[in-house]
Amino acid sequence: YGFYMDQQDSLRIIGNSVNGIRSNFGDGIACFDAMNFEVNANQVTVDDYGIYMTNANFNEIADREASLINNMVISTADHGIYITNPIRLNVYHNTVYSEGGVSAFRLAGFSLIDSIDVRNNVFTSLSDIAFEMTGAADTTAFLRFDNNVFYTAGTGDLMDINGNTYASLAAYQAARPGFNINALEGDPQFVSTRDLHIIGSFIDESGDNGVNILVDIDGDTRPSPCLLYTSDAADEEDSV
C-alpha cells in the first residue's frame, strides 16, 4: 500500500505521489471508515485499486462534506477509484483511468449512498465501463451529477447505474434528463496512458465554476487565464 488508514477522523491525504508498489495487490490509497476526510491532489499509479475507500463518511454523523478532489489516478489491473457507502461526499476534478477490464470509477452502496456531488471529472476505461454505481438509484444518491467526461476505448457500455446500462452518454441523458446535461463523451486526450495531463482542446471549458476549486493538481489557476470556464479533470487545460 501507499497509504493504509482505518478509523480515522479529519484525515488529510494531500499532494502525494504513489507509484512503484512492489505487490500487484497493493492499493495506492486505502481508507476504511474514514470521516470528514480530504483526499486531494494525489498522483497514483498502481496495479490494484488506485483509491479504495469503504464506508466513506458513513459510520458517524458527518461534521462536513468529505472531499475527493484533483486526484490523478491510474490502475493497470483494477478500478481506478472504488468507494463504498459514501455519504456527503464531493467528487470534483478527478482524472481516473483504468486498464483492468473493470469500471474506472465505482460507487457501491451495500448500505446507503446519499448526498453525493460528482462534477468536473474525467472517467476513462481502456476496455470496460467508465462509471458504475450499484446499490442505489441516481435519483436518490446524487445531489449533483454533471459536467463530467466519460470515455471507454472498448466496445461495450459506457455507464452502469444500479444495473441499468447505457451504451452512450446520449442514452443516459435521455433516460435521466436531470443529470450530466453538460457532460461530454469522448477521448479526453491525455499526454499518454501514464501521464494524465491533458493535451488538445476537447475538454476546454467543460467544467462548472460553481465547485469553486481555484487551482489544479499542479497548482495552476482555475479557470486558465485564457478561458472563461474551468475545464474538467485534475489538470486544468491551458490551450488557446
Side-chain angles (χ1 to χ4, degrees), residues 120 147 149 182 184 202-208 229-232:
N120 298 4
N147 296 89
V149 177
N182 301 297
L184 297 172
F202 176 64
I203 69 169
D204 277 5
E205 299 189 285
S206 54
D208 181 353
Y229 296 102
T230 191
S231 300
D232 293 332

Side-chain angles (χ1 to χ4, degrees), residues 179-192:
F179 296 117
N180 279 300
I181 299 306
N182 301 297
L184 297 172
E185 179 183 352
D187 186 346
Q189 299 175 316
F190 300 139
V191 170
S192 73

Side-chain angles (χ1 to χ4, degrees), residues 60-83:
E60 305 291 339
I61 297 175
D63 296 327
R64 57 189 178 273
E65 284 75 19
S67 68
L68 198 67
I69 298 171
N70 274 342
N71 296 287
M72 197 175 279
V73 181
I74 300 169
S75 173
T76 62
D78 217 317
H79 303 279
I81 297 179
Y82 187 162
I83 306 171

Side-chain angles (χ1 to χ4, degrees), residues 153-185:
T155 58
D157 293 313
L158 182 69
M159 303 170 69
D160 184 338
I161 306 295
N162 204 28
N164 299 304
T165 56
Y166 302 93
S168 66
L169 175 61
Y172 179 73
Q173 290 169 329
R176 289 288 188 266
F179 296 117
N180 279 300
I181 299 306
N182 301 297
L184 297 172
E185 179 183 352

Side-chain angles (χ1 to χ4, degrees), residues 79 81 83 91 96 102-108 113 116-119 121-125 128-134 136 138 141-142 144-146 148-152 157-162 164-166 172 180:
H79 303 279
I81 297 179
I83 306 171
V91 182
V96 188
V102 294
S103 54
F105 185 95
R106 187 178 193 226
L107 297 174
I113 299 176
I116 311 303
D117 190 341
V118 180
R119 281 183 282 171
N121 303 280
V122 174
F123 303 116
T124 302
S125 176
D128 207 90
I129 289 166
F131 186 96
E132 179 184 11
M133 182 171 69
T134 64
D138 44 14
F142 295 121
R144 299 283 299 274
F145 185 30
D146 203 357
N148 300 293
V149 177
F150 303 92
Y151 180 63
T152 178
D157 293 313
L158 182 69
M159 303 170 69
D160 184 338
I161 306 295
N162 204 28
N164 299 304
T165 56
Y166 302 93
Y172 179 73
N180 279 300

Side-chain angles (χ1 to χ4, degrees), residues 1-4 18-32 44-52 73-80:
Y1 297 92
F3 291 86
Y4 185 100
V18 180
N19 58 69
I21 294 176
R22 285 175 289 181
S23 171
N24 292 335
F25 303 101
D27 305 337
I29 298 173
C31 298
F32 300 84
V44 179
T45 302
V46 294
D47 293 328
D48 208 15
Y49 298 113
I51 297 176
Y52 178 69
V73 181
I74 300 169
S75 173
T76 62
D78 217 317
H79 303 279

Side-chain angles (χ1 to χ4, degrees), residues 80-121:
I81 297 179
Y82 187 162
I83 306 171
T84 74
N85 300 327
I87 297 177
R88 293 184 66 185
L89 175 63
N90 294 334
V91 182
Y92 300 153
H93 284 294
N94 299 282
T95 301
V96 188
Y97 171 72
S98 172
E99 296 179 343
V102 294
S103 54
F105 185 95
R106 187 178 193 226
L107 297 174
F110 299 108
S111 296
L112 181 68
I113 299 176
D114 190 36
S115 301
I116 311 303
D117 190 341
V118 180
R119 281 183 282 171
N120 298 4
N121 303 280

